[in-house]
C-alpha cells in the first residue's frame, strides 16, 4: 500500500511539473512570436501603409488577442455555469482610468455588437491613437482587477507582462490606417496565429565549414585522378559561405536599426514623462506654498481674535 501511495504521489508530481513546463513554454512562445511580429510590422511600415489588408498586422492582432485571452477566467452565471469571456471585458474595466480613453466610444459603436469584436476594434483604435502601450501598462498596473479576471499562470500575471508593454512601445512610430467596419472585426471566429513567417532555419558558420570539409574529403577520396573540373564545388561553397555571412551581417544591422528606433522612442517617452513629472512637481510645490501662506494668515487672524477676546474679558 505504501508503494502504491508513493507511486501515486510521483505521478501527481510528474503531472504538475509537465503542466508547469507546458504553461511556461506556451507563455514564452507567445511573447517571442509577439516580439517577432512587432519587428516585422516596423519593417513593413518603412515601405507601405499598415492597414487591415496587411498580413503582418492581422498576425499581430491575432497574437495580441491570444496573449490577452491567455488563461482568462470565465464568467459564472446564475446557474453556476462558467461562460467564456473576451479580453474586452477585462480591458474596459482595467483601462477606464486612462485619460482620454476610447472605451466609451467603442462601447457605443453601432456596427460592433459582440465583446470579441469590440476588443478587436479597441486594438485598432489604440494603434491609430498610438496609445496601445499606454493602455496595456495601465491595465497591468491595476493588479487587483487583473487578478480578478485571470487564472494563475496567465501571461499578464507573470514576468512576461513587463516585457509586453515595452515591446508594444515601438508601434507608436507607425501610422496605422484601419476601417472599423471591415471583416476583421467579425467576432464569430477566433483569431489564428500564422507561425510560418517566423520559422526560418539559418545554418551556422561552423556547420557550413564542416560541410565544406566533408565535401572536400569526399571529393579527394572519390578518385585520385581528379581533373580541374572537379575543383568547382569548394569554390561554390565558399561563395555560399560568404553569402550567408553577408546575410547574417545584414540581419544584425537591421535588428540594430530597429532596436535603435525602439530605444529612441523609449527615450522620447521617458523625456515626456519626466517633463510631466517636473511640471506636476512645480504645481505641487506652488500648492504647498499657497497652503502655507493661507495657514499663516489664518493663524494671524486667530491670534488677533484671541487678543481681542482677552481684552474684552
Amino acid at each position: 500500500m505504501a508503494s502504491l501511495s508513493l507511486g501515486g504521489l510521483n505521478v501527481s508530481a510528474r503531472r504538475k511539473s509537465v503542466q508547469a513546463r507546458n504553461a511556461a513554454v506556451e507563455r514564452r512562445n507567445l511573447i517571442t512570436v509577439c516580439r517577432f511580429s512587432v519587428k516585422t510590422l516596423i519593417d513593413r511600415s518603412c515601405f507601405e501603409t499598415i492597414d487591415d489588408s496587411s498580413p503582418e498586422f492581422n498576425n499581430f492582432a491575432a497574437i495580441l488577442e491570444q496573449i490577452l485571452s491567455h488563461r482568462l477566467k470565465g464568467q459564472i452565471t446564475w446557474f453556476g455555469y462558467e461562460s467564456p469571456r473576451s479580453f474586452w471585458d477585462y480591458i474596459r474595466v482595467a483601462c477606464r482610468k486612462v485619460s482620454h480613453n476610447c472605451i466609451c466610444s467603442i462601447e457605443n459603436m453601432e456596427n460592433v455588437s459582440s465583446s470579441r469584436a469590440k476588443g478587436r476594434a479597441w486594438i485598432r483604435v489604440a494603434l491609430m491613437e498610438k496609445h496601445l502601450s499606454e493602455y496595456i501598462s495601465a491595465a497591468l498596473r491595476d493588479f487587483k482587477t487583473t487578478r480578478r479576471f485571470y487564472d494563475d499562470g496567465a501571461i499578464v500575471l507573470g514576468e512576461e507582462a513587463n516585457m509586453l508593454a515595452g515591446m508594444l512601445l515601438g508601434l507608436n512610430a507607425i501610422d496605422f490606417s484601419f476601417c472599423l467596419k471591415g471583416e476583421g472585426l467579425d467576432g464569430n471566429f477566433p483569431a489564428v496565429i500564422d507561425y510560418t513567417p517566423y520559422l526560418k532555419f539559418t545554418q551556422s558558420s561552423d556547420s557550413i565549414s564542416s560541410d565544406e570539409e566533408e565535401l572536400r574529403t569526399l571529393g579527394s577520396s572519390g578518385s585520385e585522378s581528379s581533373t580541374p573540373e572537379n575543383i568547382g564545388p569548394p569554390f561554390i561553397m565558399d561563395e555560399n559561405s560568404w553569402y550567408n555571412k553577408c546575410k547574417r551581417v545584414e540581419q544584425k544591422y537591421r535588428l540594430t536599426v530597429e532596436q535603435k528606433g525602439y530605444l529612441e522612442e523609449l527615450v522620447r517617452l521617458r523625456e515626456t514623462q519626466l517633463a510631466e513629472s517636473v511640471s506636476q512637481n512645480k504645481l505641487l510645490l506652488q500648492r504647498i506654498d499657497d497652503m502655507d501662506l493661507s495657514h499663516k494668515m489664518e493663524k494671524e487672524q486667530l491670534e488677533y481674535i484671541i487678543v481681542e477676546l482677552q481684552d474684552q474679558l
Side-chain angles (χ1 to χ4, degrees):
M1 293 295 294
S3 62
L4 287 175
S5 62
L6 288 175
L9 290 175
N10 291 334
V11 170
S12 177
R14 193 180 302 113
R15 186 182 295 112
K16 288 182 179 179
S17 65
V18 170
Q19 290 176 352
R21 185 258 178 194
N22 292 341
V25 170
E26 186 179 8
R27 293 195 301 270
R28 189 165 60 249
N29 287 343
L30 285 173
I31 289 295
T32 303
V33 78
C34 183
R35 186 186 302 116
F36 290 155
S37 178
V38 169
K39 290 180 180 179
T40 55
L41 267 177
I42 295 174
D43 187 26
R44 178 61 61 183
S45 66
C46 298
F47 305 100
E48 61 183 32
T49 304
I50 305 297
D51 54 15
D52 295 280
S53 63
S54 173
E56 289 82 7
F57 164 73
N58 292 325
N59 217 23
F60 166 77
I63 294 168
L64 184 60
E65 185 173 336
Q66 290 207 14
I67 287 176
L68 295 176
S69 302
H70 183 248
R71 298 188 67 82
L72 183 66
K73 291 181 180 179
Q75 189 172 9
I76 305 300
T77 61
W78 288 97
F79 301 101
Y81 297 106
E82 186 175 353
S83 61
R85 239 177 190 160
S86 170
F87 70 92
W88 170 247
D89 299 325
Y90 162 68
I91 290 296
R92 66 185 179 87
V93 175
C95 297
R96 65 182 183 275
K97 295 181 180 179
V98 177
S99 59
H100 308 291
N101 64 71
C102 60
I103 305 298
C104 293
S105 60
I106 291 177
E107 286 282 6
N108 297 327
M109 291 178 67
E110 297 179 355
N111 60 315
V112 180
S113 57
S114 66
S115 179
R116 181 184 290 172
K118 290 179 180 178
R120 293 174 178 176
W122 167 77
I123 292 176
R124 287 160 170 78
V125 173
L127 285 172
M128 288 191 290
E129 292 180 348
K130 302 181 185 298
H131 289 161
L132 181 60
S133 178
E134 182 182 354
Y135 279 114
I136 297 296
S137 299
L140 295 177
R141 282 195 299 268
D142 191 355
F143 187 76
K144 184 177 180 181
T145 302
T146 307
R147 192 74 184 173
R148 180 159 57 93
F149 276 87
Y150 289 90
D151 288 320
D152 292 334
I155 292 178
V156 295
L157 291 175
E159 299 177 356
E160 298 86 355
N162 299 323
M163 300 170 54
L164 180 62
M167 195 185 306
L168 300 177
L169 190 62
L171 297 178
N172 294 346
I174 303 177
D175 294 326
F176 293 93
S177 177
F178 300 119
C179 176
L180 299 181
K181 298 181 180 180
E183 297 179 356
L185 301 182
D186 188 4
N188 296 325
F189 302 100
V192 179
I193 301 175
D194 182 11
Y195 291 95
T196 53
Y198 317 116
L199 300 177
K200 183 180 180 181
F201 172 74
T202 303
Q203 192 174 10
S204 64
S205 57
D206 297 334
S207 176
I208 292 173
S209 60
S210 64
D211 289 346
E212 292 176 2
E213 291 294 333
E214 185 177 356
L215 285 172
R216 289 194 185 98
T217 305
L218 290 173
S220 61
S221 62
S223 63
E224 296 181 356
S225 60
S226 60
T227 59
E229 287 79 8
N230 295 329
I231 310 178
F235 290 102
I236 296 175
M237 292 305 298
D238 290 340
E239 292 177 1
N240 290 335
S241 176
W242 281 110
Y243 175 76
N244 291 327
K245 288 180 181 179
C246 291
K247 290 294 289 183
R248 285 195 297 273
V249 171
E250 183 182 357
Q251 289 175 357
K252 289 181 180 179
Y253 172 75
R254 294 178 66 178
L255 179 62
T256 305
V257 170
E258 292 173 1
Q259 290 175 348
K260 176 176 175 291
Y262 165 73
L263 291 175
E264 289 176 349
E265 183 68 23
L266 186 62
V267 168
R268 282 194 293 270
L269 178 65
R270 294 294 180 260
E271 288 177 349
T272 305
Q273 292 176 347
L274 179 62
E276 292 177 355
S277 300
V278 171
S279 62
Q280 290 178 359
N281 189 24
K282 289 181 179 179
L283 290 175
L284 289 174
L285 290 175
Q286 184 66 32
R287 191 177 299 174
I288 290 173
D289 293 338
D290 295 340
M291 292 178 65
D292 288 340
L293 182 60
S294 63
H295 177 68
K296 289 179 181 179
M297 294 178 63
E298 289 178 358
K299 183 179 178 182
E300 291 176 356
Q301 290 177 358
L302 289 174
E303 288 177 351
Y304 179 73
I305 292 172
I306 290 172
V307 170
E308 283 189 347
L309 290 174
Q310 287 177 349
D311 292 340
Q312 291 176 5
L313 291 173

